[in-house]
Amino acid sequence: MTAAEVTAVVTDVAEPASVEALADEHGPTPEEHAERVFEMIAEGRYRAIPQPEQLCPALKARTDMILGQENPRPQPG
């Protein structure tokens, strides 16, 4: 699943339980997540984003839209 697909799915999800199910299906296990976070802390990284390939493209697009003072765009769905 690409970052764009994950973003589209998460945007369309209304129920918190669905977000949890999506994370369970496509995300790292709690152990993998904890290992990544501890590695980042050990490296002295202030912002620990354990899945940047998932978050960063969506966050960048949203931030660019806000900084460009653009109106929100309707999400496909």
Side-chain angles (χ1 to χ4, degrees):
M1 182 173 269
T2 68
E5 291 169 328
V6 170
T7 301
V9 170
V10 171
T11 301
D12 290 338
V13 174
E15 296 295 321
S18 297
V19 173
E20 186 175 325
L22 182 65
D24 288 345
E25 185 176 340
H26 298 287
T29 66
E31 293 79 14
E32 291 168 333
H33 184 81
E35 183 178 336
R36 290 178 188 175
V37 171
F38 284 122
E39 287 172 2
M40 292 174 189
I41 292 169
E43 294 169 0
R45 293 170 62 183
Y46 181 76
R47 304 224 186 267
I49 303 172
Q51 289 182 281
E53 68 281 358
Q54 298 282 327
L55 177 63
C56 291
L59 185 58
K60 181 174 181 347
R62 176 86 171 135
T63 302
D64 289 347
M65 185 178 69
I66 292 168
L67 292 174
Q69 299 181 17
E70 299 174 29
N71 290 331
R73 296 179 204 122
Q75 296 296 319

